[in-house]
Amino acid sequence: MKKVWNNTCKGNNKNLIDNCIVNFQSQGKYFVQGQRNAIKLFEIDGITLNIKSFKKPNLVNKIAYRYFRKSKARRSFEYASKLMDLGIGTPKPIAYFENFDFIGLNESYYVCEHLEDVFEFRALVQNEDFNQRESIIRQFVGFSYQMHQKGVEFLDHSPGNTLIKDNNDGTYSFYLVDLNRMKFHESIDFQTRMKNLSHLTPQKEMIVIMANEYAKVSGENENTVCETMWKFTEEFQYRYHRKKRLKKNLKFWKK
């Protein structure tokens, strides 16, 4: 088993986390039990750890993750470390584990600190009456703009992948999760920035608020921002719903 640690992790804690990985199937509390990946919570030295077990890759990916591509666990750890260096919120990375057999990657795990008392950006999309909704949306846009200014293109910038914490003073902190698809640039052009915000909501009124705030913080023309952001949002929604229809039809014909 290959193990890579955050340099702040101490020796005894390493042994305790090792034990969590070895006993992942039988210990810990499920936080997410998905078809592809599973996340469990473990208590270590007064800290709640969030350990993500990635689905075992197929034969092609087993080989690819050994020789040609970094595993999702490794990318999650390295990207989280990079985000923290840039001052962009994400749960603190602790370690990643990779277990190889004679063919390639077999199992992999990503370990980070678990955030308490947070909610997803999705809550703002689903609940128009969410307390301080517009203020949170505007602060989130400011966070996204700073991310873009630092050259970060989060390819999974979707409603479930930003966690939000109320600081109880009118401000909110934002944390990116599910990090294994990111790009880092010297700078990001306008079209790419707008496209990066197109997966967050299908609601035109939210796009109007987001565009207004992005124009304020960036100095871009508000109409251009709104039109471009909405264009990319409509294109994404069309592709998303077409994919859902295709999957539904495929299931029907398989019956």
Side-chain angles (χ1 to χ4, degrees), residues 135-236:
S135 176
I136 300 169
I137 293 170
R138 291 183 179 278
Q139 290 183 50
F140 169 78
V141 169
F143 166 79
S144 296
Y145 174 72
Q146 289 302 318
M147 180 178 72
H148 292 161
Q149 288 296 97
K150 293 175 180 179
V152 178
E153 183 184 0
F154 183 26
L155 299 177
D156 287 322
H157 202 30
S158 60
N161 288 343
T162 295
L163 304 181
I164 305 172
K165 188 175 184 67
D166 186 349
N167 298 322
N168 297 313
D169 60 0
T171 66
Y172 295 80
S173 296
F174 303 89
Y175 303 87
L176 303 182
V177 296
D178 201 1
L179 304 179
N180 62 82
R181 296 181 66 245
M182 307 193 81
K183 291 182 180 179
F184 297 90
H185 309 270
E186 288 296 321
S187 62
I188 305 178
D189 63 78
F190 176 75
Q191 294 288 318
T192 301
R193 284 184 276 142
M194 295 300 96
K195 191 172 184 179
N196 190 234
L197 297 170
S198 67
H199 298 186
L200 291 160
T201 176
Q203 299 173 14
K204 183 67 176 288
E205 59 90 13
M206 285 187 73
I207 295 297
V208 170
I209 295 170
M210 292 169 64
N212 175 263
E213 188 64 24
Y214 203 95
K216 285 182 181 178
V217 297
S218 68
E220 301 280 357
N221 178 273
E222 183 176 347
N223 288 335
T224 303
V225 173
C226 191
E227 289 171 5
T228 309
M229 198 183 296
W230 182 242
K231 180 192 75 168
F232 283 128
T233 297
E234 286 188 309
E235 290 175 357
F236 170 74

Side-chain angles (χ1 to χ4, degrees), residues 29-69:
K29 178 182 178 181
Y30 272 110
F31 183 66
V32 174
Q33 190 172 9
Q35 292 183 336
R36 293 187 301 167
N37 309 314
I39 298 175
K40 279 189 168 184
L41 305 182
F42 294 81
E43 297 293 329
I44 297 292
D45 198 24
I47 297 173
T48 302
L49 296 183
N50 181 304
I51 302 182
K52 185 172 186 176
S53 170
F54 292 92
K55 180 182 177 181
K56 291 183 180 181
N58 59 35
L59 179 61
V60 173
N61 285 334
K62 279 173 71 77
I63 298 170
Y65 287 141
R66 180 159 195 165
Y67 298 106
F68 306 109
R69 297 182 63 201

